[in-house]
């Protein structure tokens, strides 16, 4: 761990004392109800964010292409296109517009008047440099942009990207690239290992004070949309565990909190939360392990499960049963195939489950589900050790499948081993997350035969070893289309296959665990105004911070 940086003259430490503001501590049965208030040392123009966690202290690393940079790196650096993690919608950012004249070409127009925080203009040369840097240092290309790009050229403010093949869905992959300044980064010998301790970005904030226990960001008055940034300072303490969240008067946090009503909400009258779905938590069968390649077996398992009950047990009822359409509902409601019954949600029907197993050659003797060769049907579900909600989900699956005589065991390796097992195919069935905001990429990453490898070989996509020629044809058609209506029709067909063939068994939605306090700042995204999720990481804060206003400024 690097030593703490010396503070530069003129930088301010905004928290001079403890942020703890307890106004009451009441014992209630076996629980403690805690009241908290904002720290009085923090000004009305300063936000306290539980957005970066020390381990237990901070190391200065603001390279957005490092595996573990400081969270604020993605506020200091900006993408060409802002991508909404809720529904995959695209918002112009450093690129003010774009078009796809054909499926193999993307043409973006760079925004005028953008400067780096040292006053240097941001130009197309910075964009070309950034992409070349990702090509020269492939470890930095975490989004896989150069797996899609053939060439990239610039003429004035026009950036032209030629793709390796017809690949219309590459737009968000290319667009989310964060642009870095050529005049600084080109002097760095190895941008892959450089920690970038004094970052110069194009975003709305610059690095203020940095210590191992806390750092701050200060508003950049030369920002290209400075009129939209009302909050002058952001404070990121290293201590942001759940108890800190509840007790220390944070304005914004992101965390799964058990019994949120009686913890976070009870701590302050202005505390709020919003937990929209961000992915599907499902059972991922290994299709190369028998009998999971049989769709009747997968259907039998799906019909034996109660998604609402699993959601209640796993996520304390914060989330709902997931649609077997593959869509995040209600986020992607407008994309949902209307032909699917009950919005694609498969309800529990144990009689139908037994019939599905019988169609696969199984037999239920009243107490035990027997395979075609007469052996009791038993299998293991792999989950990651420490993922407590997933473990609770598996335990409920155990109970529900036990009702029709299926014995489930649990394999819970450490997270790194869990990932290695899924990548290599060393599992029978696993709990995993899939199908995020980009509907097409969710299907493609999970199901594409182009990513298929046999058990023993590793792949980060199609780890369920699924093969379906019809799906592959639809994926190819989608990539070759720049027509929105045609793409929507293809998505409808993919949803139908996802529902009928059950390549995975959707259980419940995984949440985006946003916590906020509307006492000092207003304009937060909500279920009624879902313009962004309340993530404190990634590029989400860029848009959220343009919408927030000091409560004291309302009506002025």
């Amino acid at each position: 761990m690097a030593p703490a940086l010396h503070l530069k003259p003129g930088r301010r430490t905004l928290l001079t004392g403890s942020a703890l503001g307890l106004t009451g501590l009441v014992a209630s049965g076996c629980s403690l109800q805690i009241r908290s208030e904002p720290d009085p040392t923090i000004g009305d123009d300063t936000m306290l964010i539980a957005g970066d966690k020390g381990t237990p202290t901070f190391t200065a690393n603001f390279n957005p292409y490092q595996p573990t940079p400081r969270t604020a790196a993605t506020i200091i650096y900006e993408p060409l296109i802002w991508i909404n993690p809720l529904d995959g919608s695209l918002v112009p950012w450093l690129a003010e517009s774009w078009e796809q004249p054909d499926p193999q070409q993307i043409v973006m127009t760079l925004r005028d008047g953008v400067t780096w925080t040292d006053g240097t203009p941001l130009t197309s040369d910075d964009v070309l440099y950034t992409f070349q840097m990702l090509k020269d240092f492939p470890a930095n290309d975490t989004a896989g942009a150069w797996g899609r790009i053939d060439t990239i050229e610039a003429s004035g403010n026009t950036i032209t990207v030629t793709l390796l093949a017809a690949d219309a869905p590459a737009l968000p992959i290319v667009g989310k690239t964060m642009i870095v300044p050529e005049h600084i980064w080109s002097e760095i010998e190895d941008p892959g290992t450089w920690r970038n301790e004094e970052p110069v970005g194009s975003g709305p904030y610059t690095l203020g004070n940095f210590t191992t226990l806390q750092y701050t960001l200060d508003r950049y008055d030369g920002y290209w949309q400075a009129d939209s940034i009302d909050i002058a300072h952001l404070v990121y303490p290293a201590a942001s565990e759940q108890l800190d969240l509840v007790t220390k008067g944070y304005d914004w946090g992101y965390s799964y909190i058990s019994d949120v009503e009686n913890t976070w909400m009870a701590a302050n009258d202005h505390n709020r939360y919003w937990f929209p779905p961000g992915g599907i938590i499902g059972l991922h069968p290994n299709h190369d392990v028998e009998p999971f390649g049989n769709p009747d077996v997968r259907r039998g398992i799906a019909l034996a499960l109660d998604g609402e009950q699993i959601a209640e047990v796993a996520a304390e009822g914060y989330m709902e049963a997931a649609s077997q359409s593959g869509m995040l509902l209600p986020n992607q409601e407008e994309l949902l195939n209307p032909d699917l019954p009950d919005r694609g949600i498969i309800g529990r029907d144990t009689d139908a489950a037994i019939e599905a197993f019988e169609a696969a050659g199984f037999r239920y003797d009243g107490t035990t589900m027997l395979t075609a060769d007469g052996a009791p049907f038993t299998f293991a579900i792999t989950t990651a050790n420490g993922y407590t909600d997933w473990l609770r989900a598996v335990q409920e699956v155990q109970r529900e499948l036990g009702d029709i005589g299926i014995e489930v065991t649990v394999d819970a390796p450490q997270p790194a081993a869990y990932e290695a097992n899924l990548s290599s195919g060393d599992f029978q069935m696993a709990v995993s997350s899939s199908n995020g905001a980009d509907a097409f990429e969710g299907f493609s990453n999970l199901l594409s035969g182009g990513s298929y490898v046999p058990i023993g070989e590793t792949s980060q996509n199609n780890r369920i070893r699924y093969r379906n020629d019809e799906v592959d044809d639809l994926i190819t058609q989608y990539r070759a289309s720049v027509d929105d209506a045609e793409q929507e029709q293809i998505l409808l067909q993919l949803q139908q296959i996802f529902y009928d063939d059950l390549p995975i068994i959707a259980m419940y939605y995984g949440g985006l665990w946003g916590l906020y306090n509307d006492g000092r700042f207003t304009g937060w995204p909500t279920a009624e105004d879902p313009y962004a999720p309340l993530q404190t990481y990634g590029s989400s804060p860029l848009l959220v911070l343009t919408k927030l206003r000091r409560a004291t400024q309302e009506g002025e």
Side-chain angles (χ1 to χ4, degrees):
M1 180 174 291
L5 298 179
H6 294 290
L7 300 180
K8 288 189 172 183
R11 290 182 173 175
R12 306 188 300 133
T13 300
L14 294 170
L15 292 186
T16 56
S18 170
L20 185 60
L22 299 183
T23 61
L25 185 63
V26 181
S28 176
C30 296
S31 64
L32 293 175
Q33 186 179 63
I34 299 171
R35 295 286 295 173
S36 70
E37 298 294 340
D39 187 326
T41 69
I42 300 179
D44 290 340
D45 63 353
T46 301
M47 174 176 285
L48 185 62
I49 304 179
D52 205 346
K53 187 176 294 185
T55 54
T57 56
F58 286 142
T59 299
N61 183 345
F62 291 91
N63 181 338
Y65 290 107
Q66 282 274 291
T68 55
R70 298 272 60 87
T71 301
T74 50
I75 298 177
I76 292 171
Y77 295 96
E78 299 182 288
L80 291 164
I81 301 172
W82 186 86
I83 315 245
N84 193 332
L86 291 174
D87 59 12
S89 57
L90 309 182
V91 176
W93 213 258
L94 292 180
E96 66 178 7
S97 64
W98 58 85
E99 61 178 350
Q100 292 182 278
D102 62 67
Q104 203 169 345
Q105 192 173 76
I106 299 168
V107 181
M108 292 180 283
T109 301
L110 198 62
R111 190 178 298 278
D112 284 323
V114 179
T115 64
W116 299 104
T117 53
D118 63 2
T120 305
L122 187 155
T123 71
S124 58
D125 287 340
D126 295 303
V127 176
L128 295 183
Y129 166 78
T130 298
F131 280 95
Q132 187 62 45
M133 180 270 295
L134 296 179
K135 185 176 184 179
D136 294 340
F137 298 90
N140 284 3
D141 189 13
T142 54
W146 280 99
R148 322 290 282 263
I149 297 172
D150 183 20
T151 62
I152 180 168
E153 301 173 333
S155 175
N157 273 17
T158 301
I159 311 292
T160 301
V161 180
T162 301
L163 303 170
L164 290 167
D167 191 6
L171 173 62
I173 302 297
V174 174
K176 69 182 178 182
T177 302
M178 289 173 288
I179 306 304
V180 299
E182 179 185 22
H183 67 285
I184 293 175
W185 283 57
S186 62
E187 301 298 318
I188 304 304
E189 182 176 350
D190 183 0
T193 59
W194 182 47
R195 294 200 316 205
N196 192 23
E197 296 179 356
E198 297 185 7
V200 173
S202 64
Y205 292 90
T206 60
L207 181 63
N209 284 329
F210 185 93
T211 74
T212 57
L213 298 178
Q214 174 183 291
Y215 65 89
T216 66
L217 299 184
D218 299 328
R219 183 175 54 201
Y220 171 49
D221 291 337
Y223 183 50
W224 60 272
Q225 50 178 338
D227 290 347
S228 297
I229 302 297
D230 188 47
I231 300 170
H233 309 284
L234 309 178
V235 181
Y236 290 82
S240 57
E241 300 295 338
Q242 287 193 5
L243 183 60
D244 299 306
L245 277 172
V246 174
T247 60
K248 293 187 176 181
Y250 279 99
D251 298 297
W252 188 2
Y254 182 90
S255 178
Y256 179 93
I257 290 186
S258 184
D259 194 12
V260 69
E261 294 285 348
N262 290 313
T263 51
W264 171 256
M265 292 286 282
N268 188 285
D269 293 340
H270 287 282
N271 279 357
R272 305 286 184 265
Y273 69 93
W274 180 42
F275 296 163
I280 293 175
I281 310 301
L283 296 177
H284 288 221
N286 188 331
H287 289 248
D288 278 353
V289 173
E290 290 301 329
F292 302 112
N294 188 322
D296 288 318
V297 171
R298 301 193 297 271
R299 185 170 298 105
I301 293 172
L303 287 165
L305 300 180
D306 182 342
E308 287 293 342
Q309 179 60 22
I310 294 171
E312 178 70 32
V313 170
E316 298 185 55
Y318 300 151
M319 307 310 299
E320 297 180 349
S323 170
Q324 189 62 44
S325 65
M327 296 296 101
L328 305 186
L329 303 180
N331 308 15
Q332 298 168 329
E333 194 84 41
E334 64 182 23
L335 297 176
L336 179 65
N337 186 330
D339 295 334
L340 300 181
D342 298 323
R343 301 167 73 232
I345 296 172
I346 297 177
R348 191 182 199 207
D349 185 336
T350 54
D351 290 337
I354 292 169
E355 290 177 5
F357 280 112
E358 289 173 345
F362 285 49
R363 181 173 62 87
Y364 180 57
D365 68 3
T367 58
T368 304
M369 184 66 69
L370 302 172
T371 64
D373 60 7
F377 182 36
T378 179
F379 63 91
I381 298 179
T382 300
T383 185
N385 189 13
Y387 293 12
T388 55
D389 56 333
W390 289 11
L391 178 58
R392 291 194 297 266
V394 173
Q395 290 169 338
E396 180 60 22
V397 168
Q398 276 182 310
R399 187 190 68 77
E400 294 182 7
L401 291 182
D403 290 343
I404 58 169
I406 299 172
E407 181 183 352
V408 171
T409 59
V410 181
D411 180 24
Q414 294 299 315
Y418 161 87
E419 289 293 333
N421 289 350
L422 265 64
S423 296
S424 67
D426 184 16
F427 68 99
Q428 293 179 292
M429 184 173 285
V431 179
S432 191
S433 178
S434 67
N435 298 75
D438 189 317
F440 172 76
E441 287 294 326
F443 287 128
S444 179
N445 292 342
L446 186 65
L447 307 178
S448 174
S451 299
Y452 171 85
V453 296
I455 292 174
E457 297 181 23
T458 60
S459 177
Q460 293 308 306
N461 291 321
N462 194 2
R463 301 193 294 186
I464 61 175
R465 274 72 184 170
Y466 181 76
R467 286 175 286 184
N468 184 316
D469 291 342
E470 184 180 0
V471 167
D472 290 342
D473 287 344
L474 290 169
I475 288 173
T476 299
Q477 292 173 36
Y478 192 101
R479 292 191 184 284
S481 175
V482 291
D483 181 84
D484 290 343
E486 183 178 4
Q487 289 184 344
E488 289 175 8
Q489 286 301 312
I490 293 170
L491 283 178
L492 295 180
Q493 294 176 71
L494 287 169
Q495 290 178 58
Q496 190 69 57
I497 294 171
F498 205 72
Y499 180 85
D500 292 336
D501 204 37
L502 294 121
I504 70 163
I505 298 160
M507 294 192 295
Y508 65 100
Y509 289 121
L512 299 174
W513 313 110
L515 310 168
Y516 65 98
N517 181 294
D518 65 7
R520 301 196 317 125
F521 303 100
T522 63
W524 298 95
T526 63
E528 293 71 35
D529 185 16
Y531 64 83
L534 281 161
Q535 295 173 191
T536 55
Y537 58 91
S539 293
S540 285
L542 279 174
L543 185 60
V544 174
L545 288 164
T546 68
K547 304 287 188 180
L548 296 181
R549 295 291 179 267
R550 287 172 285 169
T552 55
Q553 299 294 98
E554 288 188 340
E556 293 184 7

